[in-house]
Each structure stands twice: as structure tokens, then as C-alpha cells.
Amino acid sequence: MNYDIVKVSSPVDLQMAFEVRRRVFIDEQEVPEELELDEFDHEASTVHILARDDDDRVVGAARFRPYHDADIAKIERVAVVPSYRGTGLGRMLMDTLEAEARQAGFRTAKLNAQTHAQGFYERMGYQPLGPVFVEAGIEHIAMEKRL
Ligand code: COA
């Protein structure tokens, strides 16, 4: 399948990214809306990306933001709508996030993986860092990768 992945640059595209995250995290995974859509979404330093398929359907989204140290990007909200999973889109989202982060000067990417997705991030070159913890009722593990 072919996808067009873009950096979000308009309020309309930002709403589209939120729509994907609503479907995946709020509706499917039952993450509370007030946790899913947070203050970092509207920070100027947060980079959002959005994926469309050949028919212009919005099918994936993700974001990263600066994290504590100047050279660390925190990757968050990586979401592919259910019927598009397993088609390589998750990898394309990660490649795009990492390329954007590298270009912006970040040297390390960190993320908190839901444990069911740990294998996905390991395939992308991330290494687990610490113990499993629970956030929004879901088990997570911290992971990182040098960019
Ligand atoms: N566990 C282990 N490996 C996985 C995996 C998983 N849950 N999901 C995908 N993979 C592997 C694929 O087999 C593929 O391996 P390969 O390159 O060796 O063939 C590789 O990772 C890339 O898979 P891809 O098709 O690009 O992944 P995807 O489009 O299905 O996206 C997610 C993966 C996790 C983003 C997607 O399942 C999703 O949106 N899940 C719901 C939201 C979510 O939980 N996000 C993570 C929050 S931390």
C-alpha cells in the first residue's frame, strides 16, 4: 500500500491527527480523553505527522516533542487505524518521525511503549530501559534509540 506522510502544518490537519488518535486510543483502547489529548499537542515545539492512503483517507498519526535534555525527542501517540495495521505504515510513521527529529537536531529518541507493542519498537531499533509501569491503565516500558 502507498501512503503519503506529512508533517502537520495546518489546524485542519491537526484535527485529522486528533481524529485518528481518538479512534485508536480513546475509542479502541479506552484511554480517557483528558489524558490522550494534552497540553503538549498545542506546543509550538511539538511535531505532529499524519498519514493518508491513496484515496486520501487519514489512516495514521504520531507526534514527537522535545524532552528534558535539548537533544532528546520523545515520540508519542503512534497510531495506525486497525484495518491498516501490518501493512508497514507503523514503520513509515517511525521513519518519518526519526527523520524529522534528526533534522531538527535531536540525537536520541525516547518513548514509552505499550508492552504489546514492545516488539514493534524493537524492530525499529529501540531498546527497553526499565521496569514495566502502568499509565492510563495500560502497561508500558520505556525505550530509547540513538538517532
Ligand atoms: N509486536 C511485535 N511486532 C510487531 C507488532 C507488535 N505489536 N506490530 C508490528 N510488528 C512488526 C511487524 O511484524 C513488522 O515486522 P517486519 O518489519 O519484520 O515485517 C514491523 O513491526 C513493522 O510493522 P508495521 O506493519 O509497520 O506496523 P503497524 O502498521 O501495524 O503499526 C502499531 C504498529 C503498534 C503502531 C499499530 O499496531 C497500532 O497503531 N496499534 C494501536 C496503537 C498503539 O498501541 N500504539 C503504540 C502505542 S505505544
Side-chain angles (χ1 to χ4, degrees):
M1 243 181 270
N2 293 318
Y3 300 106
D4 184 30
I5 301 185
V6 295
K7 194 167 151 182
V8 167
S9 60
S10 73
V12 172
D13 275 3
L14 186 58
Q15 290 306 317
M16 298 278 198
F18 291 166
E19 211 38 59
V20 171
R21 287 167 43 190
R22 246 177 227 292
R23 281 173 68 182
V24 170
F25 295 114
I26 299 175
D27 298 343
E28 181 186 347
Q29 296 189 352
E30 300 181 342
V31 173
E33 178 167 350
E34 60 276 16
L35 292 183
E36 172 49 33
L37 301 170
D38 66 14
E39 70 276 17
F40 298 115
D41 281 322
H42 301 285
E43 295 277 346
S45 55
T46 300
V47 172
H48 297 268
I49 62 169
L50 186 63
R52 290 188 171 83
D53 71 2
D54 282 341
D55 295 321
D56 220 28
R57 275 188 286 258
V58 178
V59 291
R63 77 177 191 195
F64 72 84
R65 61 183 172 91
Y67 187 64
H68 302 314
D69 293 337
D71 75 342
I72 299 176
K74 177 114 185 280
I75 290 178
E76 297 172 315
R77 309 315 198 257
V78 181
V80 172
V81 301
S83 54
Y84 288 77
R85 290 177 195 157
T87 67
L89 178 53
R91 181 186 289 280
M92 288 178 67
L93 289 173
M94 293 301 295
D95 287 348
T96 304
L97 289 170
E98 290 173 8
E100 290 287 344
R102 219 176 280 119
Q103 200 181 331
F106 294 101
R107 292 290 165 261
T108 299
K110 282 187 188 280
L111 54 84
N112 291 332
Q114 294 183 13
T115 50
H116 70 82
Q118 182 176 344
F120 165 73
Y121 291 114
E122 281 173 348
R123 276 183 171 75
M124 306 299 126
Y126 288 77
Q127 294 189 329
L129 284 179
V132 170
F133 60 94
V134 176
E135 198 175 80
I138 298 171
E139 286 193 343
H140 288 77
I141 185 161
M143 301 184 82
E144 79 172 17
K145 174 181 176 177
R146 288 294 292 171
L147 294 175

